Amino acid sequence: MDEKMLISNIKIDVVIGIGYKGGVENAVKRTVMFFKENGAQVRVIQMLDSGYNWLPDEIEFYCLNSPSNRHGIKNEYGEFLEHHEGADLVLVAGWPMLVPIVRQTVSNDTRVVSWLHGAVEVYMAENLGDYNDLKSAHAHLAINSNIEKSIRKHIGEHALIYRINNPVDIGDIAFNPNRDTKKLLFVGRFSEEKNIPFLIESLGLAPKDWTLKIIGDGDANIKENLHRRCEELGIKDRVEFAGWLEKPWAQAQDACGLVLPSKRETMPLVAIEALLCGMPVIATPVDGITELIKPGVNGYLFPHDDKEAFVQILRMIDENKLPKISAEACRDSVAFVLDNEPLKGLCRTIIDILNVDFDDYKDSGAVIDSYFDGLKQIQKSYLTLNYDLCYLLAMHKKIASQGVSTAVVGSSHTMNGILEEVLPGGKKENINLSSSSQDLYYDKEHIKKLLTSNKKKLRNIVIELPYYALYQDLSKSKNESFLVDRVFYPLFGQDAVHNLQRELDKSTVLWPEYDKDMYSDALIKELCEKSTEEAFLAQSSYYGILPREKNNKLRLDNIFWEQLSIDERREYAKERAKQHNKQRNYKESYEENKLILKKIADLCSKEGIRAIFVIMPHTEEYIDYINSNFKTEIYDVLNELPYEVEVIDFTEYTTYFTAEDFYDSDHLNRTGAEKVSHILASYLQPEV
């Protein structure tokens, strides 16, 4: 059934606070035009007058010019409905405060749907509504995953939320595969949150052959200050102010990248439009952007207000130190907006909302059968108690059943820092066998196991070398040797014992307590083992089930590494490095691990497998305190091998990784992991 048949003759109102020039207005305009073209009866009702006509004449438009308060808006909207027929469905675009006003004013048969175009906290800061206002909506449209999560968190799991991308008008967008210039582009209004002064200041620090074109208009004071600052920095000949253009992309064919240094966004249409043109996007990691931009694939990310990090990206592009981004990859990354798919999805959503019996919907889900609820809790507890074991068992099952092309072994640094989906072939062709505190000995055991069971030709093995790798022996650890019993013995059998200083505990699997009168042991065993295996095989990632923040001490306390003061970071890093430096006392482990490292290299060489040794990035604070002899000794061992080996030393990327890329002093967060993974992917690309 096409969209014309779906929404034909349905009466749809779009209520908006105020309209001018911007992404929200463009999204509303494209949406109502599509509705009208497909037979819906559409009106746009604007509460405050901006003095700007932003809608085409064929759209039925009413500006109420209400007082800018809840009571005044409600009175004006109520009076409007007294003289006009009501709608079947009202989309409330933007301000949350409008949702209860609309809901209280329309008839009981009218469905009211919130359509946020920004984080609720932004509206709250401007006194335009909050989460309590959203509770009045029958349903919600979320234009990015963070908005969806925040609504569900504050309103409840029962909230009816539809993830719908904003539409893009692709009529005036021309794909251009040739962008070998050094001209950057900014498109947008001149406003505080767009952070355009950052671009001017950064350009003053960048190599002099980089230029900037600014398309947009807005706040006169910001515009005047931008021109003045260009004069002061001596870069006015490198910055072009093109003004507001109705069709900006026709004037942007010679730009090599769109730059968005925004302080906040939702899902910027301008970024999607740039990608459709084949233009990479260089941006701050704000909402929407983090879903859209994959560093090294369709753009790059840099921390908020970090001029040095931004300029470093430009320098590394000059020096060919970053993965080359293709125009085709940019365009393909936003294929979801082609063929009006967001608007078609919205039409289907509207029909779904109109067909929901909200009285039944509210009651359903409130009562869950206690038997199945209990089973879910048992499964959850089992997974929590045996997470690493369940994950690694499932990954070796994947190796034995379908095989992989690239395997990663290492500790929590690569467990956090390498994303399988970013490497060539994605999760299907890559596997990460890293786990917390895993040492070289167990890396070797993983490699031996996968060499005997892999169902296809293994091409690459990535081996992480922590600074202290040559001194670490998990089996001798007083605090962590329990992992030998709990994780590695079920995987490798007696070979897992290694240098264990006590008797092995073979009762490895931990079972949660449960009602044995209600559930049989056989049922629980089969259900838990099967469900966890299926879940990990489906996700094919350590963090497919466990959220990253749940595995990080700092984030558990809602502390972000970049938010700590310099002194706090240095103190944390000092303690962390101190623990690792103590391992230099383990001389026996050092001698044994030199042999194990050579054995790993020999295994790969014998099987014709490409071995890539990686030293993961660490914060500058950690590097200041960790003993530099660790790394020297690693290189000494590798240099003694009778053949050349590849080493990627990410600690040499001194300014590419910043505080915003880390969870703590030596572990990457998702943003940092994407950077590492895209660089690694460029090494792993098969030769053509």
Side-chain angles (χ1 to χ4, degrees):
M1 183 179 292
D2 63 26
E3 286 64 41
K4 197 173 187 92
M5 294 178 64
L6 278 174
I7 64 170
S8 180
N9 296 318
I10 291 177
K11 299 169 186 173
I12 303 173
D13 282 354
V14 177
V15 172
I16 187 170
I18 191 167
Y20 190 59
K21 300 175 181 178
V24 177
E25 292 82 357
N26 284 335
V28 171
K29 179 167 58 177
R30 290 163 187 158
T31 299
V32 296
M33 288 296 293
F34 187 83
F35 286 166
K36 184 175 178 61
E37 291 164 3
N38 285 279
Q41 300 177 40
V42 187
R43 300 181 302 205
V44 175
I45 302 159
Q46 181 173 302
M47 297 303 178
L48 305 181
D49 188 4
S50 65
Y52 179 72
N53 184 13
W54 56 279
L55 283 167
D57 293 339
E58 57 264 40
I59 296 298
E60 192 175 342
F61 175 69
Y62 300 90
C63 183
L64 304 188
N65 200 18
S66 309
S68 57
N69 59 70
R70 290 177 186 252
H71 182 70
I73 290 174
K74 183 176 181 181
N75 285 343
E76 290 289 333
Y77 186 56
E79 186 176 333
F80 170 82
L81 289 181
E82 287 179 6
H83 298 90
H84 296 83
E85 188 176 357
D88 298 310
L89 181 140
V90 180
L91 290 175
V92 181
W95 304 355
M97 65 179 280
L98 296 177
V99 175
I101 291 173
V102 171
R103 180 71 186 272
Q104 292 162 16
T105 310
V106 300
S107 72
N108 290 334
D109 294 330
T110 300
R111 299 289 183 249
V112 178
V113 181
S114 77
W115 187 16
L116 293 177
H117 288 268
V120 175
E121 289 72 17
V122 174
Y123 295 113
M124 290 169 63
E126 298 178 8
N127 295 316
L128 296 174
D130 55 28
Y131 287 105
N132 285 327
D133 291 318
L134 294 180
K135 292 178 181 178
S136 300
H138 289 98
H140 311 269
L141 304 182
I143 65 172
N144 68 45
S145 60
N146 282 339
I147 288 177
E148 179 182 0
K149 290 175 184 175
S150 68
I151 293 174
R152 201 170 296 286
K153 176 182 177 181
H154 289 89
I155 295 180
E157 289 296 323
H158 66 278
L160 189 59
I161 307 171
Y162 296 86
R163 174 72 172 82
I164 300 289
N165 290 302
N166 271 340
V168 177
D169 182 2
I170 64 174
D172 298 317
I173 294 176
F175 177 71
N176 179 11
N178 301 311
R179 298 195 175 275
D180 294 328
T181 70
K182 293 187 180 181
K183 177 181 284 189
L184 300 170
L185 176 71
F186 172 86
V187 179
R189 66 185 181 275
F190 290 7
S191 58
E192 179 270 338
E193 74 273 11
K194 296 298 182 182
N195 205 18
I196 310 173
F198 170 89
L199 284 182
I200 301 301
E201 299 295 329
S202 298
L203 193 67
L205 301 173
K208 296 189 184 305
D209 49 352
W210 284 92
T211 62
L212 172 66
K213 184 172 188 173
I214 298 177
I215 298 177
D217 209 342
D219 189 303
N221 288 330
I222 292 178
K223 183 176 180 180
E224 181 182 343
N225 289 334
L226 293 175
H227 280 277
R228 178 180 54 78
R229 193 65 181 133
C230 286
E231 289 271 4
E232 293 172 351
L233 293 172
I235 59 170
K236 65 177 184 177
D237 58 332
R238 295 166 57 197
V239 181
E240 176 188 355
F241 290 90
W244 186 267
L245 301 176
E246 286 294 330
K247 298 180 179 180
W249 302 109
Q251 306 297 320
Q253 291 300 304
D254 58 343
C256 68
L258 178 76
V259 187
L260 295 177
S262 306
K263 296 178 180 179
R264 54 184 179 273
E265 291 281 359
T266 47
M267 182 60 78
L269 292 177
V270 68
I272 297 175
E273 291 167 349
L275 293 169
L276 285 171
C277 291
M279 187 185 303
V281 176
I282 306 174
T284 47
V286 292
D287 277 5
I289 284 291
T290 52
E291 290 183 43
L292 197 61
I293 302 305
K294 305 301 178 189
V297 174
N298 60 357
Y300 303 103
L301 300 177
F302 61 91
H304 296 273
D305 288 324
D306 191 333
K307 293 187 285 292
E308 181 55 40
F310 172 69
V311 172
Q312 180 67 7
I313 289 174
L314 303 185
R315 292 195 187 107
M316 293 180 78
I317 291 173
D318 282 346
E319 297 166 5
N320 293 317
K321 288 186 176 180
L322 292 177
K324 188 171 179 59
I325 294 175
S326 73
E328 289 77 13
C330 292
R331 180 189 57 194
D332 292 348
S333 69
V334 287
F336 60 84
V337 303
L338 298 176
D339 196 28
N340 280 324
E341 191 51 44
L343 290 169
K344 292 177 181 179
L346 180 54
C347 290
R348 294 189 290 269
T349 295
I350 286 172
I351 298 303
D352 188 40
I353 293 171
L354 290 174
N355 287 327
V356 171
D357 184 329
F358 281 90
D359 289 333
D360 287 347
Y361 178 80
K362 184 177 180 181
D363 293 336
S364 67
V367 179
I368 301 174
D369 185 278
S370 61
Y371 180 86
F372 291 102
D373 190 43
L375 280 179
K376 289 178 183 177
Q377 188 57 47
I378 294 168
Q379 288 173 285
K380 182 179 178 181
S381 298
Y382 172 81
L383 179 60
T384 302
L385 291 169
N386 303 281
Y387 196 93
D388 283 16
L389 173 60
C390 291
Y391 169 70
L392 292 172
L393 284 172
M395 293 305 97
H396 277 288
K397 175 73 175 289
K398 174 182 175 179
I399 291 166
S401 60
Q402 68 184 60
V404 293
S405 298
T406 298
V408 178
V409 293
S411 67
S412 55
H413 299 112
T414 39
M415 183 180 78
N416 282 300
I418 293 180
L419 308 177
E420 304 92 322
E421 63 267 28
V422 173
L423 305 183
K427 290 183 178 181
K428 182 179 179 181
E429 292 293 331
N430 300 281
I431 202 161
N432 194 337
L433 297 172
S434 306
S435 64
S436 293
S437 301
Q438 187 167 292
D439 62 16
L440 283 173
Y441 178 82
Y442 295 108
D443 289 345
K444 173 176 67 71
E445 293 303 305
H446 277 301
I447 293 171
K448 285 167 54 181
K449 188 175 179 71
L450 70 88
L451 287 177
T452 60
S453 60
N454 195 46
K455 286 295 183 183
K456 64 174 66 172
K457 177 61 177 176
L458 188 68
R459 293 200 298 266
N460 312 295
I461 296 181
V462 178
I463 305 108
E464 183 221 352
L465 294 174
Y467 268 78
Y468 48 85
L470 294 178
Y471 290 86
Q472 183 187 16
D473 186 338
L474 175 64
S475 65
K476 289 183 177 180
S477 169
K478 293 180 180 179
N479 297 323
E480 296 181 311
S481 67
F482 69 91
L483 292 170
V484 175
D485 316 78
R486 292 267 305 281
V487 176
F488 297 113
Y489 177 73
L491 281 166
F492 308 129
Q494 200 62 33
D495 286 343
V497 175
H498 194 202
N499 296 316
L500 196 63
Q501 307 291 297
R502 54 173 174 75
E503 187 176 346
L504 182 73
D505 179 4
K506 295 184 179 181
S507 56
T508 54
V509 176
L510 301 179
W511 293 97
E513 294 183 1
Y514 54 88
D515 187 343
K516 294 183 180 290
D517 292 330
M518 183 175 290
Y519 310 109
S520 70
D521 291 344
L523 170 68
I524 295 303
K525 184 176 187 298
E526 180 181 2
L527 188 65
C528 288
E529 291 178 349
K530 185 176 181 181
S531 64
T532 52
E533 180 181 278
E534 289 177 348
F536 275 122
L537 287 174
Q539 296 289 345
S540 200
S541 171
Y542 187 89
Y543 288 114
I545 300 172
L546 176 73
R548 284 174 172 264
E549 58 268 23
K550 296 295 185 183
N551 200 32
N552 179 266
K553 294 176 181 177
L554 286 177
R555 285 289 296 275
L556 283 176
D557 294 325
N558 291 317
I559 299 171
F560 294 81
W561 179 254
E562 70 271 17
Q563 294 173 341
L564 296 176
S565 69
I566 296 295
D567 289 342
E568 288 173 326
R569 285 189 218 163
R570 293 194 69 81
E571 189 60 33
Y572 183 100
K574 183 178 181 180
E575 276 304 306
R576 181 80 172 155
K578 181 180 178 181
Q579 295 170 17
H580 293 155
N581 287 336
K582 286 180 180 178
Q583 298 194 39
R584 294 190 64 78
N585 296 322
Y586 307 142
K587 301 301 183 184
E588 288 184 6
S589 298
Y590 170 70
E591 295 300 330
E592 183 184 18
N593 279 320
K594 286 198 297 183
L595 298 175
I596 293 173
L597 182 54
K598 291 176 181 177
K599 178 65 175 177
I600 289 173
D602 288 342
L603 279 171
C604 295
S605 177
K606 180 181 177 182
E607 297 293 332
I609 294 169
R610 182 183 178 193
I612 301 177
F613 294 92
V614 298
I615 300 175
M616 295 295 283
H618 301 307
T619 62
E620 58 182 333
E621 293 87 0
Y622 178 86
I623 292 174
D624 284 345
Y625 288 112
I626 196 69
N627 192 315
S628 61
N629 290 323
F630 276 136
K631 191 163 77 166
T632 302
E633 290 162 345
I634 287 172
Y635 275 99
D636 287 345
V637 175
L638 295 176
N639 290 334
E640 289 174 4
L641 294 172
Y643 38 78
E644 283 192 20
V645 294
E646 294 181 73
V647 180
I648 306 176
D649 187 349
F650 286 105
T651 62
E652 299 297 322
Y653 288 67
T654 52
T655 57
Y656 187 53
F657 295 96
T658 67
E660 291 194 355
D661 295 321
F662 291 89
Y663 275 144
D664 57 32
S665 63
D666 52 314
H667 289 95
L668 293 168
N669 59 23
R670 172 83 193 193
T671 303
E674 288 190 347
K675 288 184 176 181
V676 161
S677 301
H678 284 297
I679 293 172
L680 180 59
S682 67
Y683 280 84
L684 295 175
Q685 287 290 353
E687 295 182 3
V688 179

